[in-house]
Amino acid sequence: MKAVILCGGKGTRLSEETNLRPKPMVEIGGIPMLVHIMESYAKYGYKEFVLALGYKGDYIKNYFQGFFARTNDFTLDLKSGSIEYLNQSRKDWKISFIDTGEESMTGGRLLRLKDHLKNEKTFMLTYGDGVSNINIEELVKFHKSHGKYATVSAVRPVARFGEMSMSQNLVTAFAEKPQTEAGWINGGFFVFNSEVFKFLDQGDETILERSPLENLTKEKQLMAYQHDGHWQCMDTLRDKEYLENLWQNKKAFWI
């Protein structure tokens, strides 16, 4: 089963980083967010990826074209131009790089991949800016069990501020940025059947999270996989710094 990763947005809320590179290539611990996400699929055996490119897509292509040299030691003979690799650590991933337009919306990007996914009855999809310790294998099992067209992961986000419990002005509990107990949100890890393309009816302007998911809901074709574990997106510089802090303190929950 292939995993589609949406990599084409401009990431304007993280402009401190995205003026130079696409958002999925912003690094956490010296590793692009995109690679962190791909690793989370690969550890469950899902190693075929379709990257929906857009804004600064060449940056992503160039990174992976040099991936083998970047991740291995080698000796370069400048006279002959020959390269001798001193170790050969290889990832057995297969990656398709598809330009889905610089201005396309999330559903529009998926629609542009229709021909590339024509042989896939079922596929996965996520955004290029969020990490989780979600069990991908269990997510897929859940999707196959219910027979509906679509599954969305439901997560509880981390509260932006600390929370306190009090009794007569006495603090009885204090937690710095805990996982909120209030409601569920879209965690971004989807599993779709090919029938989902029928719901992408507004071309490049289709926003996946609006009419497609709303109409799937109306037709009772959208199920939620509830993930009580960790999840974090990278929308802002604050989020990026938070994830970097987790990495540096060996608390990166997604590895």
Side-chain angles (χ1 to χ4, degrees):
M1 190 183 299
K2 294 180 179 179
V4 173
I5 305 179
L6 301 179
C7 301
K10 295 183 178 179
T12 54
R13 286 186 288 179
L14 191 58
S15 59
E16 300 91 343
E17 294 276 354
T18 56
N19 282 333
L20 302 174
R21 51 189 165 184
K23 192 176 181 183
M25 299 305 291
V26 173
E27 295 181 352
I28 302 298
I31 301 169
M33 172 65 84
L34 177 56
V35 176
H36 286 291
I37 296 167
M38 296 167 81
E39 291 279 15
S40 68
Y41 281 98
K43 72 180 180 181
Y44 290 102
Y46 298 104
K47 301 178 182 181
E48 287 196 49
F49 301 97
V50 180
L51 305 186
L53 307 181
Y55 174 69
K56 294 186 181 296
D58 285 347
Y59 191 109
I60 297 175
K61 290 179 180 178
N62 292 337
Y63 176 85
F64 282 100
Q65 283 179 324
F67 190 84
F68 187 68
R70 184 177 289 108
T71 56
N72 288 280
D73 299 328
F74 60 88
T75 298
L76 170 62
D77 186 331
L78 290 178
K79 183 177 181 180
S80 66
S82 64
I83 296 175
E84 177 188 359
Y85 285 98
L86 306 179
N87 59 327
Q88 295 195 30
S89 174
R90 297 177 182 268
K91 291 188 181 298
D92 55 343
W93 300 354
K94 184 177 181 180
I95 310 170
S96 297
F97 302 84
I98 311 298
D99 180 12
T100 57
E102 190 159 319
E103 303 297 331
S104 299
M105 305 305 287
T106 49
R109 295 192 188 285
L110 176 56
L111 182 59
R112 286 209 188 192
L113 297 177
K114 185 176 180 179
D115 287 344
H116 299 281
L117 298 169
K118 61 185 177 182
N119 296 322
E120 306 298 316
K121 168 135 182 83
T122 308
F123 59 93
M124 295 174 286
L125 180 144
T126 195
Y127 307 109
D129 63 355
V131 288
S132 177
N133 63 349
I134 188 168
N135 186 316
I136 302 295
E137 185 176 5
E138 291 301 319
L139 172 66
V140 171
K141 285 182 181 178
F142 174 79
H143 177 78
K144 291 180 177 180
S145 73
H146 59 62
K148 304 294 186 181
Y149 293 165
T151 295
V152 58
S153 58
V155 300
R156 297 187 189 275
V158 173
R160 181 176 176 184
F161 303 105
E163 290 184 352
M164 294 188 296
S165 298
M166 294 174 287
S167 175
Q168 297 181 340
N169 294 335
L170 177 69
V171 176
T172 57
F174 183 92
E176 178 63 14
K177 295 183 179 179
Q179 194 170 13
T180 181
E181 294 295 327
W184 297 88
I185 65 169
N186 168 18
F189 289 84
F190 296 90
V191 186
F192 289 132
N193 289 355
S194 57
E195 287 85 353
V196 75
F197 286 106
K198 297 185 297 185
F199 295 82
L200 307 175
D201 56 2
Q202 297 173 356
D204 285 351
E205 300 301 314
T206 306
I207 300 175
L208 178 64
E209 303 77 15
R210 293 187 183 172
S211 61
L213 293 186
E214 290 168 0
N215 290 330
L216 281 163
T217 301
K218 289 176 183 177
E219 295 196 16
K220 298 182 178 180
Q221 288 293 335
L222 178 64
M223 297 289 285
Y225 176 82
Q226 295 184 1
H227 174 59
D228 284 308
H230 296 291
W231 172 89
Q232 178 64 48
C233 65
M234 187 181 62
D235 278 341
T236 65
L237 186 60
R238 181 199 297 266
D239 295 330
K240 193 263 185 189
E241 291 171 346
Y242 173 68
L243 289 167
E244 184 68 35
N245 182 63
L246 290 177
W247 180 271
Q248 295 301 333
N249 288 284
K250 302 187 185 306
K251 295 181 180 179
F253 54 79
W254 59 91
I255 60 175

